[in-house]
Amino acid sequence: MRFENYTIKDIAKALNLSTSTISRALRDSYEISPETKKIVLEYAEKINYRANPIARSLKERRSHSIGIIVSEIANNFFSQVINGVESIAYDKNFHIIISQTHESSERERLNVEYLTSRGIDGLLIALSSETEDISYLHQLKERGFPIVFFDRIPQQFDTYKVIVNNQQGAYDATQHLIKLGNKKIAHLTNSKSLSITKDRLIGYKKALMANHIDFDPDLVKYCQYGGLHLEEIESAIEELIRLGFDAIFISGDKLTTGYLHVVKKKKF
């Protein structure tokens, strides 16, 4: 059985008033007498009337909602980002609509198309590992649609971007391992195409260079889907085990938990 919400037309019919009168009364317009407002509001409360947000957004051209697209909500980093975004949005009377790409560029595009068709007022997005063509995002931006990239960002896109210093973080992590006496340090990371992967690789290389350790590209293993598929982590770790290493710098929460799972499972 389909749920049907009461509409302004239903209230107007029940009270024998025009829809415009009902609409103005619900908006507390000065054009409507206090007596009529009281009748309308009491009846609306009685039937548990709720305004249709889609209809209102069409009229006001604002939905008071923001879309946010991430690869996976279960990712600890993204879940914290969503929590922060939602807390700020709530204080401003905005709603958040969350979509996942699961590292698929096709799903990313479909999610963007769906969210924009629902009239969101803006978009926060961390690109998927497969994403290469963002021309459709450029088109949205050119039409005046607000877009903010975070964490995983495109290089040539004139809009707001929120990132951390990935190079410095990778440098510090690698430097810490070197100070512990390790010389052969492996690096397990995400897709080659992601901005965070490139920046963290630079930081890793800089730390090696600063300590006169030769960079060995064989010790760098990329996981196209960032650990979503355990098989890609298993394959990477098995290759690193064959090569041998003293320590490993892993550039993501999902990869780290995957690494620990594989090591325990394989008893390396």
Side-chain angles (χ1 to χ4, degrees):
M1 181 178 174
R2 184 183 174 186
F3 171 74
E4 293 288 352
N5 194 14
Y6 287 101
T7 67
I8 286 177
K9 288 183 179 180
D10 294 324
I11 300 176
K13 184 178 180 180
L15 299 179
N16 196 27
L17 295 169
S18 69
T19 54
S20 60
T21 297
I22 302 300
S23 178
R24 291 189 180 99
L26 292 172
R27 288 188 284 108
D28 195 25
S29 172
Y30 69 90
E31 300 172 285
I32 306 301
S33 68
E35 294 78 12
T36 302
K37 285 181 187 177
K38 185 174 183 295
I39 293 171
V40 171
L41 293 173
E42 285 180 350
Y43 185 77
E45 184 177 357
K46 177 183 176 182
I47 64 173
N48 197 29
Y49 167 78
R50 293 292 180 269
N52 186 330
I54 296 176
R56 177 172 290 180
S57 67
L58 289 172
K59 184 175 181 179
E60 298 178 356
R61 295 188 178 181
R62 293 195 70 184
S63 64
H64 292 279
S65 62
I66 297 171
I68 181 166
I69 297 178
V70 297
S71 61
E72 186 186 27
I73 296 173
N75 181 297
N76 184 57
F77 171 76
F78 288 131
S79 65
Q80 290 185 61
V81 170
I82 291 168
N83 186 57
V85 171
E86 192 170 42
S87 65
I88 297 299
Y90 179 80
D91 288 341
K92 302 295 182 181
N93 294 316
F94 272 76
H95 295 280
I96 297 298
I97 305 175
I98 306 165
S99 290
Q100 302 179 92
T101 65
H102 295 289
E103 304 295 8
S104 165
S105 58
E106 182 182 1
R107 288 185 69 164
E108 181 176 275
R109 178 191 287 269
L110 290 173
N111 287 340
V112 170
E113 289 177 352
Y114 174 78
L115 290 172
T116 52
S117 72
R118 303 300 287 181
I120 58 170
D121 295 325
L123 178 68
L124 289 161
I125 179 171
L127 297 173
S128 79
S129 61
E130 285 186 351
T131 301
E132 294 182 4
D133 179 14
I134 57 170
S135 57
Y136 70 102
L137 292 173
H138 277 287
Q139 291 169 7
L140 282 175
K141 176 67 169 52
E142 288 168 3
R143 286 159 47 195
F145 186 77
I147 300 174
V148 175
F149 292 98
F150 68 97
D151 188 49
R152 303 163 170 203
I153 63 172
Q155 296 305 312
Q156 297 180 337
F157 201 113
D158 184 22
T159 189
Y160 290 102
K161 300 169 186 176
V162 182
I163 57 172
V164 298
N165 194 332
N166 286 294
Q167 285 192 32
Q168 187 62 48
Y171 179 91
D172 292 343
T174 308
Q175 187 78 348
H176 173 71
L177 294 175
I178 293 171
K179 284 183 178 180
L180 292 177
N182 301 294
K183 298 294 183 183
K184 196 173 183 180
I185 301 171
H187 180 31
L188 184 64
T189 189
N190 293 285
S191 168
K192 289 183 180 181
S193 64
L194 291 175
S195 59
I196 54 173
T197 301
K198 296 172 184 176
D199 288 343
R200 290 168 185 170
L201 182 61
I202 291 172
Y204 164 77
K205 286 182 177 180
K206 283 183 176 179
L208 296 179
M209 187 183 300
N211 291 275
H212 309 290
I213 299 173
D214 293 333
F215 169 67
D216 184 354
D218 290 336
L219 288 177
V220 179
K221 299 301 176 187
Y222 300 94
C223 291
Q224 171 67 22
Y225 297 99
L228 278 179
H229 308 303
L230 201 59
E231 299 78 19
E232 64 178 355
I233 298 181
E234 285 188 7
S235 177
I237 294 173
E238 286 173 357
E239 288 184 46
L240 290 174
I241 292 295
R242 285 196 294 270
L243 291 169
F245 59 93
D246 301 329
I248 185 168
F249 162 45
I250 306 175
S251 69
D253 292 341
K254 193 77 175 179
L255 291 171
T256 301
T257 54
Y259 171 83
L260 293 173
H261 179 82
V262 171
V263 168
K264 183 178 180 181
K265 175 183 175 182
K266 298 286 186 178
K267 298 181 180 179
F268 289 133

